[in-house]
């Protein structure tokens, strides 16, 4: 829970700052290679975050696979993280994550989770996501967080 | 091509599953259809096959529907606000009903097509949406604006037997329910094996009786949607407040029925 939330705060920025950020060359290439395009990645991410896809509380992640060769989208229940052994078929390294516990969106969106997810892209700090990507690819380890 | 077929099949009350009646009825109908059109092949023309399939669909037009609440949305205040009740009932519970019906139709098609793999793949959605519908239906019924506990009844005796006192029962059920990690439900249950009542907590929308064999007496929803607008993250305050709006008559009726 602590790691996930610390990771989450770090990857976001106010909308006017966030819109000035963009994926690095390395990240953009990995997105295109793995999904075809940024729009395709977003569509798959939103599908993974949809109420029917996550049965209860959980998180959705863009991760680098264990070999460091491509990006994937995975969901985890409760406060699990793809870095944890046994959660997915192999340890994977998150570069971007979204909290889909109801507490993350209920006061503003109530049951309207798809609206929360599509608005959330406006606060994603792509510069930080790019740094995360470079870090995990180079170090084969999870992004460090504060606290 | 017009055929009229009269099929009688003996529908025994003790027939183990509706599906077995339907499948044997379908075999009868299909062979009658083939005979009627003098078809030597074992394969029916597509349109005929579809009609006979629809005739013997396991669902037979049965659909789940959102139950009405036995009280107004504002009736449970201040424990649970009208705002929460309206969203919880008309949005969350309704979604489980809608998605349950969609899932059942898909399962029905898969079963009639004999697609075991597809049928199995739908079981997660069935448990989730079916459980969501069952759980919320039970929940609305075990809440009431008029909450009065009857000393000396069957429920009181069972509570004293297992917990010592009503206060001790509330303390234990509350502690375990509040401690659920993530989304889930806390239940006061009847265990037909021990013939005693007990506490059981389940994750997500897992339905109690279907997954454990325990009988539900009283359920408390601790998904965040059940309390967040009123209590934010303070789940213990919500659980404490819910005890003021429990319909003890319903809980006792459920216990009496479960013991039969």
């Amino acid at each position: 829970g602590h790691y996930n939330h610390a990771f989450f705060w770090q990857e976001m920025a106010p909308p006017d700052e966030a819109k000035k950020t963009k994926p690095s060359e390395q990240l953009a290439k990995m997105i295109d290679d793995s999904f075809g395009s940024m729009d395709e990645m977003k569509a798959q991410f939103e599908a993974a975050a949809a109420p029917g896809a996550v049965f209860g509380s959980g998180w959705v992640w863009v991760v680098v696979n264990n070999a460091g060769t491509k990006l994937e989208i995975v969901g985890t229940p409760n406060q699990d993280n793809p870095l944890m052994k046994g959660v997915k078929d192999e340890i994977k390294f998150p570069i971007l994550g979204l909290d889909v516990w109801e507490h993350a969106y209920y006061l503003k969106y109530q049951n309207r989770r798809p609206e929360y997810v599509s608005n959330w892209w406006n606060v994603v700090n792509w510069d930080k996501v790019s740094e995360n990507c470079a870090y995990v690819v180079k170090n084969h380890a999870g992004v460090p967080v504060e606290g | 091509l017009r055929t009229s077929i009269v099929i009688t099949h003996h529908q025994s009350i003790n027939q183990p599953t509706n599906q077995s009646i339907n499948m044997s009825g379908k075999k009868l109908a299909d062979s009658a259809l083939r005979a009627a059109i003098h078809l030597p092949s074992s394969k029916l023309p597509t349109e005929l096959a579809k009609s006979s399939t629809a005739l013997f669909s396991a669902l037979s037009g049965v659909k789940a529907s959102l139950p009405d609440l036995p009280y107004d949305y504002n009736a449970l205040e201040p424990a649970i606000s009208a705002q929460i009740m309206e969203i919880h009932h008309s949005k969350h519970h309704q979604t489980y009903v809608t998605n349950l019906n969609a899932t059942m139709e898909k399962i029905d098609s898969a079963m009639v097509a004999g697609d075991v793999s597809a049928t199995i793949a739908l079981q997660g959605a069935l448990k989730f949406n079916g459980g969501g519908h069952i759980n919320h239906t039970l929940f609305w019924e075990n809440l009431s604006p008029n909450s009065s506990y009857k000393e000396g009844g069957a429920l009181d005796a069972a509570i004293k037997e297992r917990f010592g006192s009503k206060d001790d029962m509330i303390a234990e059920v509350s502690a375990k329910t509040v401690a659920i990690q993530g989304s889930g439900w806390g239940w006061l249950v009847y265990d037909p094996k021990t013939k005693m009542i007990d506490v059981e907590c389940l994750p997500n929308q897992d339905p109690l009786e279907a997954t454990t064999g325990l009988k539900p007496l009283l359920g408390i929803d601790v998904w965040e949607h059940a309390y967040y607008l009123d209590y934010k993250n303070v789940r213990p305050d919500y659980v404490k407040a819910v005890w003021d709006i429990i319909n003890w008559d319903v809980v006792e009726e459920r216990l009496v029925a479960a013991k039969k």
Side-chain angles (χ1 to χ4, degrees), chain A residues 105-144:
Chain A
Y105 59 90
Y106 212 82
L107 295 177
K108 189 170 159 92
Y109 298 96
Q110 289 87 58
N111 61 308
R112 303 184 313 277
R113 192 196 293 176
E115 211 184 301
Y116 158 64
V117 179
S118 61
N119 282 342
W120 166 76
W121 296 113
N122 298 327
V123 295
V124 171
N125 180 344
W126 291 104
D127 293 344
K128 179 64 167 88
V129 179
S130 303
E131 279 171 37
N132 290 346
C133 184
Y135 184 92
V136 308
V137 168
K138 176 162 181 238
N139 296 292
H140 196 70
V143 168

Side-chain angles (χ1 to χ4, degrees), chain B residues 9 55 74 79 81 105 116 170 172 180 209 213 240 244 254:
Chain B
H9 54 97
L55 190 64
N74 63 4
S81 66
E105 281 204 30
V116 177
I170 287 178
E172 189 173 333
I180 290 173
E209 190 163 358
K240 183 161 188 279
D244 293 338
R254 287 175 182 168

Side-chain angles (χ1 to χ4, degrees), chain B residues 45 48 66 226 247 250:
Chain B
L48 275 178
L66 182 69
N247 187 333
V250 162

